Amino acid sequence: MAERRRLVIASGNTGKLREYRELLAGTGLDLVAFDGDVDEVGETYAENARLKAETAAGRSGLPALGDDSGVEVEALGGFPGIRSARLGPTQQDRTAELLRRLEGKPRPWNARFVCVVALADRGSETRFFEGECRGEIVPEWRGAAGFGYDPVFLVPGTGKTFGEMPPEEKRLYSHRARAVRALLESGALEGLSV
Ligand code: IMP
């Protein structure tokens, strides 16, 4: 039997990894998790996604996908954005800190999730794919599905937060699913080097 082609997913975030496994299940690629512990020193999602993807590709010798994502809240001028993972030591602290900063601000707390995926492969320029999902931050935590800020992110028209959606429903709307759709539609995964 022919060996399956491998693609490294450069992330140590189990919530993200689970989503990539589901979103890329139809590609037939053998997905390998690689947590390079890369310092996110970039000033944009794309720079950080590139750092993760190119570090993983360089160390593994395989094509690699890096992801950088975050939530941007309008009333906070787009904060926390690329700093979404650094608002506190645990996700519970981070969500509480976000809600604390919104206290007293008029609702709705319009927000969007953004995801940039970088695909690094030797011999090619790194390519980028982006997805966004618009919604609203709500003060009460609803549901325990997903990860990160999912329980406080309400998706318009559904009456549900991402925390209340099973994975197959979240992927209809999510920024990560949209970025992966753009990646799949580009055909970039068909031409990988390994
Ligand atoms: P990074 O991309 O590893 O820098 O982390 C992005 C952070 O944004 C995560 O740790 C989450 O807190 C948040 N985030 C990104 N995508 C999602 C999502 O799909 N649901 C909830 N939170 C997310």
Side-chain angles (χ1 to χ4, degrees), residues 11 13 16 19 40 48 52 67-71 81-82 84-86 91 94 113-114 147-150 162 170 174-176:
S11 179
N13 178 321
K16 278 190 193 176
E19 292 191 2
E40 296 189 22
N48 284 331
K52 295 177 202 177
D67 153 311
D68 201 48
S69 47
V71 64
I82 60 167
S84 296
R86 288 168 257 159
Q91 184 59 49
R94 294 192 274 277
F113 269 125
V114 183
F147 69 100
Y149 300 92
D150 280 347
F162 273 154
K170 181 177 174 184
S174 96
H175 48 310
R176 190 160 295 101

